[in-house]
Amino acid sequence: MKENGIDTKASRFNMWKLHLSVATVTLIPAAVGINYVAKAFAEGLKLPLWLGSLGTYLASMLAGPTAGAISGFINNIIYGLTLSPVSTVYSITSIAIGIVVGVLFNRGWFSNVKRVFVSAILIALTSAIISTPLNVIFWGGQTGIPWGDALFATMIGNHINIWIASFTDEFVLDIMDKVVVAYLAFFIYRQLPQRMINYFKDNQ
Amino acid sequence: MDIRDDSLQKIARRHWYNFVDPVTKLLLALFLTMLSFDFTPLYFEISLVLFSLTLLLLSRLSKATVNAVSFCLFLIVTMVVIQGLFYSHNVHPLFSVMTITFYREGFLYAATMSARILIIIFAIGFFMGTTTVSENAKYLESIGMPYKLVYLLMSVCYILPQIQQNLSKIQFVERARGINPQKTVMQKVRSILPILIPLIIKTFDQSINRSITLQLRGFDRPERTLATPKYPYFKAKFSHYLLSIVILLLIGCKLWQIISRFL
Amino acid sequence: MANNQQISINDLSFTYRHDSNAVLHHISATAPLNSIIGIIGNHHAGKTTLCRILAGIIPNMMAGDLSGDVQLGPLSPTQNWPALNQQTGFVLQDPASQLSGLADTVADEIAFDLLNHGVANTEIQHRVTEVARQLQLTGQLQRSPNSLSGGQLQRLAIATAIVTKPAILILDDPTSEMDPQGRTEFFNWLTIIEKTTILIVSNEIDDLCEIADRLWLLVDGELVNQGTPLEVINQLKPDWQIGTPQVYQLARSMNWSLGTDLFPVNVNQLRGCLHDRHST
């Protein structure tokens, strides 16, 4: 029992390690690439979701919250520089998603179907809380997804506070997106070969 | 002959924007963005838009910037409509179509935000259009950024086009195979798994191999020869200090504006 | 006793952590430094794993249960890996993943190792030109690495491994994507490299028998034979399912032996054998 205690302490320390290993350095670009692919699939299939955080989830699960946070951050920076400059500011949201996924995963909240659902809701809440002020500052509260914005327009048309309207707009979209991505990540992680999981774990 | 320098670029004439270093260009984008947050009169915002547009037109207008603008255009239009109709401080009608009234305050509010977005797009477009990945990598390394971080940032820039290629190949194959049109969201999500999982495993395997290679090839060793910047830049350090100080002042100013509202 | 002038592997066993079965079982082998050692074996014989251990990838980057002892001259991949790595060149099975992923041109890709070693710029110019000439990549120096063919990519991978003039060169199936002519040229070129210990995994048994000083033969994770190509090929057992060189097949069917029931395995030996038969 005592040994177990030491082990968890050590792994918790590792979890927050800021030193970047070479394995993490090469994992992060892959994660950003997967974000991009997932997003492209969502657009290609005309899904009402983004899916653009799948790689960030996987990076957090494989190499811890720091790796996930950096993946999310760099994802939005590069995406912002090359495709849509304003999405750069949402890098803050992506950092938070990376951290929350990593912590939840390390505490076993990605271990079965029921727990994944709880995790997804926590992640969606985090994302919506951080995105809402950004939406208000840059887009007057909109999210850019037509039917979410229609909801937003109806709410402020009925004189509901802009913060509540914007949060609702964002959260409704986030909850669907984050639940689907969480289950995708949960399912995909279980399909990864053990040697791969070990490699990233050993080389943190 | 210098085999490691792109000889084409040597023959090509150096443009004025090659004298400005990448970090200064990024700081300039941040500076213009902060200006648009601090001073909100519409005329000032419009002149900032025009200034950043001029920068862009005097250098290189890339396709990416045009795409970014068209991407945001729809959002800008809906923003103008929604705020013009429903903005909470709407008092003065601007014009009416049938029974729907657009208000001045909401319209101005939306116009200011749109101007800000255009400023960001144009200023970033200037940075992206006038620098290359290798120029940025060399410059960042030469000013002391750890090579691991430089590598991280730059390899993302390289991986995206590669992934894009892989993706279009896969989509082509999928289309040739002919997927049945899926009805529900769940069916659609499930239908991408058989493509997504092998792609993800392949991508992660490549990162494992690459991380092994990099370590074997002596990546991030302390004795690494520092890269030299691609061009000699004009007063790079001075511009960094000046712009950083001004940006900090503008941020302080904005914070004071917000705080003083509550005092 | 550790001998500073040879490669010695002593009772080496290894099991990957994700696997319950050992990949290598009690391997012991020796070879002098500065020789060419061909590593052959059937599918899943543990050839790549052995290369990984020799290069120190195991246990420095991949974990598992490693026992026994490996010594490459004065250095050991388990004890002084940084020093060993500095003197080792490695070519991975998949040449594309050998690339740094950050070079605009082939020249920059080759220069990557030299930059990491802190070599001065003029020297880098010189060495990149030289290596490109040796591996026939001079015409591609200004092209993007992504535009190369499979064979060119493998030659680039080799160029990046040898540009630092390593004392030990480990090549894991480096010719799988080359055309026959390129492959022959490559093997011939290996023989002119001096002062380098070369360990090469390959299925090209004909070429290996032409150039290797020694062969190590792995079957299902066990080292079943080691010695000169002549010895190893002549002692093959059919259930190991190892291919034989064409020269050997021809000599056997024609019964052109070198006396004492040994059949030639390369062209030189065949020539000697025929010469002897004519003169008698």
Side-chain angles (χ1 to χ4, degrees), chain C residues 154-215:
Chain C
Q154 273 184 327
R155 278 186 273 138
L156 173 58
I158 296 158
T160 65
I162 61 160
V163 73
T164 53
K165 300 190 177 159
I168 298 153
L169 192 56
I170 300 166
L171 308 160
D172 190 356
D173 203 3
T175 60
S176 57
E177 288 178 37
M178 290 187 194
D179 55 47
Q181 195 199 342
R183 203 176 61 221
T184 311
E185 280 169 12
F186 169 74
F187 276 99
N188 288 335
W189 169 80
L190 277 184
T191 58
I192 57 172
I193 301 179
E194 285 178 341
K195 289 184 200 150
T196 306
T197 309
I198 299 172
L199 293 125
I200 176 170
V201 169
S202 180
N203 294 320
E204 307 298 340
I205 194 77
D206 287 273
D207 297 293
L208 272 185
C209 287
E210 293 293 334
I211 63 147
D213 299 307
R214 297 184 72 76
L215 289 183

Side-chain angles (χ1 to χ4, degrees), chain C residues 87-102:
Chain C
Q87 297 177 34
T88 308
F90 192 99
V91 176
L92 293 165
Q93 222 168 1
D94 167 26
S97 52
Q98 176 106 13
L99 304 183
S100 68
L102 199 54

Side-chain angles (χ1 to χ4, degrees), chain B residues 1-4 134 147 151 154-155 158 209-210 212-219 221 223-225, chain C residues 61 85-86 92 97-100 102 104 108-109 111-113 115-119 121 125 142 160:
Chain B
M1 188 184 75
D2 201 5
I3 51 163
R4 281 187 53 243
S134 68
Y147 187 66
Y151 181 89
M154 297 307 144
S155 57
Y158 277 99
N209 281 337
R210 183 147 288 168
I212 291 172
T213 305
L214 287 174
Q215 290 174 75
L216 292 175
R217 293 179 71 182
F219 163 88
R221 235 188 239 156
E223 64 260 35
R224 188 182 148 82
T225 318
Chain C
M61 294 169 233
N85 186 36
Q86 192 132 13
L92 293 165
S97 52
Q98 176 106 13
L99 304 183
S100 68
L102 199 54
D104 289 332
D108 274 342
E109 187 64 58
F112 183 71
D113 297 76
L115 282 171
N116 292 337
H117 281 75
V119 176
N121 258 320
Q125 293 283 338
Q142 293 307 323
T160 65

Side-chain angles (χ1 to χ4, degrees), chain C:
Chain C
M1 270 317 289
N3 180 334
N4 276 357
Q5 286 312 307
Q6 69 173 19
I7 294 184
S8 63
I9 299 175
N10 203 350
D11 199 25
L12 180 74
S13 297
F14 182 72
T15 314
Y16 283 105
R17 220 175 46 172
H18 55 82
D19 199 356
S20 50
N21 303 321
V23 185
L24 297 176
H25 310 266
H26 306 287
I27 288 183
S28 295
T30 54
L33 284 186
N34 301 331
S35 57
I36 299 179
I37 301 144
I39 300 172
I40 57 173
N42 54 12
H43 199 52
H44 291 303
K47 294 170 289 183
T48 294
T49 305
L50 181 60
C51 284
R52 285 179 180 158
I53 294 172
L54 289 165
I57 296 171
I58 296 169
N60 294 294
M61 294 169 233
M62 287 181 177
D65 187 6
L66 179 75
S67 67
D69 192 43
V70 181
Q71 201 73 31
L72 296 144
L75 298 169
S76 146
T78 47
Q79 281 145 34
N80 4 47
W81 182 67
L84 175 81
N85 186 36
Q86 192 132 13
Q87 297 177 34
T88 308
F90 192 99
V91 176
L92 293 165
Q93 222 168 1
D94 167 26
S97 52
Q98 176 106 13
L99 304 183
S100 68
L102 199 54
D104 289 332
T105 63
V106 169
D108 274 342
E109 187 64 58
I110 303 176
F112 183 71
D113 297 76
L114 296 171
L115 282 171
N116 292 337
H117 281 75
V119 176
N121 258 320
T122 46
E123 175 69 12
I124 291 180
Q125 293 283 338
H126 173 73
R127 285 222 225 155
V128 171
T129 323
E130 174 62 21
V131 167
R133 191 187 56 73
Q134 283 179 26
L135 288 163
Q136 294 158 6
L137 286 167
T138 310
Q140 282 76 38
L141 275 179
Q142 293 307 323
R143 281 177 47 193
S144 157
N146 297 325
S147 71
L148 300 184
S149 69
Q152 286 171 330
L153 210 54
Q154 273 184 327
R155 278 186 273 138
L156 173 58
I158 296 158
T160 65
I162 61 160
V163 73
T164 53
K165 300 190 177 159
I168 298 153
L169 192 56
I170 300 166
L171 308 160
D172 190 356
D173 203 3
T175 60
S176 57
E177 288 178 37
M178 290 187 194
D179 55 47
Q181 195 199 342
R183 203 176 61 221
T184 311
E185 280 169 12
F186 169 74
F187 276 99
N188 288 335
W189 169 80
L190 277 184
T191 58
I192 57 172
I193 301 179
E194 285 178 341
K195 289 184 200 150
T196 306
T197 309
I198 299 172
L199 293 125
I200 176 170
V201 169
S202 180
N203 294 320
E204 307 298 340
I205 194 77
D206 287 273
D207 297 293
L208 272 185
C209 287
E210 293 293 334
I211 63 147
D213 299 307
R214 297 184 72 76
L215 289 183
W216 291 352
L217 171 56
L218 292 172
V219 174
D220 298 328
E222 284 178 54
L223 188 92
V224 292
N225 204 351
Q226 56 170 319
T228 63
L230 184 68
E231 293 161 1
V232 171
I233 298 295
N234 275 283
Q235 293 162 9
L236 284 181
K237 289 185 187 156
D239 55 325
W240 291 341
Q241 295 184 323
I242 306 293
T244 51
Q246 284 185 350
V247 168
Y248 174 80
Q249 290 169 18
L250 175 74
R252 262 201 99 119
S253 61
M254 303 301 287
N255 206 16
W256 293 335
S257 76
L258 289 163
T260 66
D261 246 8
L262 285 177
F263 291 97
V265 298
N266 62 33
V267 174
N268 255 340
Q269 289 167 2
L270 182 67
R271 206 176 279 139
C273 165
L274 289 180
H275 188 262
D276 290 348
R277 293 176 72 91
H278 278 287
S279 46
T280 49

Side-chain angles (χ1 to χ4, degrees), chain B residues 163-175:
Chain B
I163 293 231
Q164 224 162 350
Q165 263 177 12
N166 281 349
L167 189 66
S168 51
K169 250 183 252 162
I170 291 171
Q171 280 169 336
F172 181 76
V173 172
E174 283 302 315
R175 224 169 285 145

Side-chain angles (χ1 to χ4, degrees), chain A residues 1-191:
Chain A
M1 282 314 281
K2 209 175 182 184
E3 269 172 40
N4 257 335
I6 292 167
D7 270 344
T8 33
K9 231 179 193 175
S11 70
R12 199 166 292 169
F13 173 73
N14 274 339
M15 188 170 104
W16 292 108
K17 211 160 80 170
L18 256 178
H19 160 81
L20 282 182
S21 76
V22 182
T24 311
V25 165
T26 56
L27 174 67
I28 290 168
V32 174
I34 291 166
N35 282 345
Y36 182 87
V37 169
K39 204 172 146 68
F41 269 117
E43 280 162 13
L45 289 171
K46 301 206 164 44
L47 295 174
L49 309 159
W50 296 293
L51 303 187
S53 52
L54 181 62
T56 307
Y57 273 62
L58 289 170
S60 283
M61 292 158 90
L62 283 169
T66 324
I70 298 172
S71 301
F73 177 69
I74 291 189
N75 179 63
N76 279 61
I77 295 287
I78 300 293
Y79 204 77
L81 287 178
T82 51
L83 293 164
S84 83
V86 186
S87 75
T88 314
V89 294
Y90 292 94
S91 54
I92 307 170
T93 315
S94 297
I95 292 174
I97 292 176
I99 293 175
V100 173
V101 173
V103 172
L104 287 171
F105 180 81
N106 275 329
R107 305 217 163 166
W109 284 93
F110 269 88
S111 55
N112 60 45
V113 179
K114 276 184 199 157
R115 287 189 152 205
V116 171
F117 190 73
V118 179
S119 300
I121 289 174
L122 282 173
I123 297 161
L125 260 179
T126 315
S127 168
I129 288 170
I130 296 174
S131 298
T132 303
L134 299 172
N135 290 341
V136 173
I137 293 170
F138 285 90
W139 303 104
Q142 288 174 240
T143 53
I145 305 287
W147 66 271
D149 283 349
L151 184 71
F152 171 76
T154 328
M155 286 175 85
I156 64 166
N158 287 309
H159 305 290
I160 292 170
N161 181 295
I162 181 171
W163 291 92
I164 295 172
S166 180
F167 181 81
T168 312
D169 179 355
E170 177 73 35
F171 186 67
V172 168
L173 296 171
D174 258 337
I175 193 86
M176 295 209 336
D177 183 58
K178 299 304 179 278
V179 168
V180 173
V181 177
Y183 278 109
L184 270 178
F186 168 69
F187 188 72
I188 291 170
Y189 184 84
R190 292 207 303 187
Q191 309 277 317

